[in-house]
Amino acid sequence: MRFLKGTKIYSIFTGTCPVCHEEHMYTKANPYLLGYTLKMHERCSHCHTKYKIEPSFFYGAMYVSYGVGIIFAGIAFAISHFLVQLDLLASFFVICGTLIIFMPIIMRWSRNIWINLFMKYDHKHRKH
């Protein structure tokens, strides 16, 4: 993934600071530690970027979460219905299970996408 460093894709999938890509935004790397799924550092210790730009900044990530959830649900449906050839009811339960299992990842990726809409990588902050 290092070859993508300097792109928004890198910051979104790794959860690193959108400005310098040097520090993880979240206090715990594992999104399945449910008490820490959305706990973030206030600022990047490397470039001092403030992650929460304004109060309630990450409410907008809920809209992104809907879209990301639809993508996960669509993939689950395509695999379960067309590849495994389950009926519609069974596919529905596969979709529900998929969304529950991947909820922490969907929540983090949505926040990562949201913050990357407002901030961009600055190569001046990279480590030499």
Side-chain angles (χ1 to χ4, degrees):
M1 198 86 168
R2 298 281 301 163
F3 67 94
L4 290 173
K5 196 165 188 177
T7 66
K8 290 187 181 290
I9 298 288
Y10 181 83
S11 178
I12 289 167
F13 286 111
T14 61
T16 53
C17 173
V19 176
C20 71
H21 294 186
E22 297 297 334
E23 179 188 70
H24 287 279
M25 292 187 288
Y26 300 94
T27 58
K28 303 281 185 192
N30 185 351
Y32 288 96
L33 295 173
L34 298 180
Y36 296 93
T37 299
L38 298 178
K39 294 235 193 264
M40 301 176 77
H41 297 287
E42 189 172 323
R43 293 182 178 273
C44 174
S45 64
H46 183 260
C47 69
H48 307 292
T49 298
K50 185 175 181 180
Y51 298 132
K52 194 173 181 181
I53 298 170
E54 60 187 31
S56 307
F57 172 70
F58 286 107
Y59 281 170
M62 291 187 299
Y63 297 101
V64 176
S65 171
Y66 178 77
V68 173
I70 293 295
I71 291 169
F72 272 78
I75 291 169
F77 175 74
I79 291 170
S80 67
H81 189 69
F82 296 117
L83 289 179
V84 182
Q85 297 186 338
L86 298 176
D87 64 14
L88 289 177
L89 183 61
S91 293
F92 171 75
F93 288 119
V94 169
I95 291 167
C96 291
T98 299
L99 292 175
I100 290 168
I101 290 167
F102 287 102
M103 184 179 13
I105 291 172
I106 292 169
M107 290 167 60
R108 278 208 179 169
W109 283 0
S110 299
R111 275 189 168 210
N112 297 350
I113 291 168
W114 185 251
I115 197 167
N116 272 279
L117 290 174
F118 297 94
M119 296 182 185
K120 66 180 192 168
Y121 180 72
D122 185 350
H123 70 281
K124 292 183 285 187
H125 290 291
R126 71 181 162 178
K127 287 184 180 177
H128 298 290

